[in-house]
Amino acid sequence: IMLNGSRDARALFTIPAASRQRPWRKIIDTSLLPPADIVDLDRADQVKCGSKLTVVPMGCLVLQSVSARSLYD
């Protein structure tokens, strides 16, 4: 979960390695308009470990790590 409490500045986050080498999926991004701001896990974009994400002022990003197998169950 990445939160930016600033009213003016964007916040930059570096994505850590997920446990057990599971990929990250971006399931919530409050910078997007509905219904794109919250997506189902199976439709969520993958985010690479080590990449940088920007969170808009007063914004929130939520990533979830999942096993590759669970995406296809």
Side-chain angles (χ1 to χ4, degrees), residues 56-71:
V56 298
M58 303 305 290
C60 173
L61 288 176
V62 177
L63 305 182
Q64 183 173 345
S65 69
V66 293
S67 69
R69 183 181 64 190
S70 69
L71 291 174

Side-chain angles (χ1 to χ4, degrees), residues 3-70:
L3 300 172
N4 182 0
S6 172
R7 293 180 188 258
D8 305 313
R10 294 175 177 262
L12 185 65
F13 291 84
T14 301
I15 307 308
S19 63
R20 292 177 247 148
Q21 299 182 351
R22 295 179 173 191
W24 288 110
R25 300 279 176 170
K26 183 169 58 171
I27 58 172
I28 298 175
D29 183 346
T30 60
S31 72
L32 302 174
L33 294 174
D37 57 340
I38 302 172
V39 297
D40 291 330
L41 186 58
D42 59 336
R43 295 181 51 211
D45 292 335
Q46 185 169 335
V47 178
K48 292 185 178 184
C49 298
S51 64
K52 298 189 184 304
L53 293 180
T54 301
V55 180
V56 298
M58 303 305 290
C60 173
L61 288 176
V62 177
L63 305 182
Q64 183 173 345
S65 69
V66 293
S67 69
R69 183 181 64 190
S70 69

